[in-house]
Amino acid sequence: MEKPQPTVFQVDGAEIRKRRMEVGLTLRQCARAAGIAHSYLSEIETGLKGDMRPPTYAGLRTALQIQHDDRRLLHPTPEEQHRKEPDVPDEGALRPHPEDG
C-alpha cells in the first residue's frame, strides 16, 4: 500500500536557494522554469512562505534537476533531524592534548 501524497510540502528556502545557485539559475529563470511567480519563489527562499502544493513542488524539483525521491529541498522530519545530529563526545571523554599531535 502506497503512502498518501501530502497536501502540502514543507520546503526549506535556504536549500532551494542553494540548489538554484548550484544549477546556475537566476531567481526569475528558476521561477519561469518551475511555472511559478518569481515573487513567490523569493518568498519561499527567504522563509516568508514555507508550504508548497505538490504540483508546484514538482515543477520546482524539475527546474532544479532534483529527482522525485530526493528530499533535500524539504524541511527534515523529526526522525531525519534526529539522525542528522552530530555525535558529541561525552563530557568526561578524554581528548588528546594539542601538543601530543
Side-chain angles (χ1 to χ4, degrees), residues 11-29:
V11 294
D12 185 334
E15 284 298 319
I16 291 170
R17 182 176 191 278
K18 177 181 165 186
R19 178 62 183 166
R20 176 178 62 77
M21 299 194 70
E22 287 173 354
V23 176
L25 295 172
T26 67
L27 188 78
R28 287 184 187 271
Q29 290 169 332

Side-chain angles (χ1 to χ4, degrees), residues 24-92:
L25 295 172
T26 67
L27 188 78
R28 287 184 187 271
Q29 290 169 332
C30 184
R32 188 176 310 118
I36 58 179
H38 73 276
S39 57
Y40 176 64
L41 181 55
S42 176
E43 291 173 339
I44 291 290
E45 286 189 3
T46 58
L48 293 174
K49 295 195 186 237
D51 296 339
M52 198 174 270
R53 292 178 310 149
T56 308
Y57 179 64
L60 183 62
R61 266 195 344 257
T62 300
L64 296 175
Q65 303 167 17
I66 300 288
Q67 298 298 316
H68 74 281
D69 59 345
D70 188 332
R71 297 186 47 85
R72 79 177 101 170
L73 302 182
L74 300 175
H75 275 292
T77 64
E79 296 82 25
E80 292 169 334
Q81 185 66 32
H82 180 70
R83 277 183 264 152
K84 284 186 178 180
E85 291 178 8
D87 292 330
V88 179
D90 292 337
E91 288 292 320

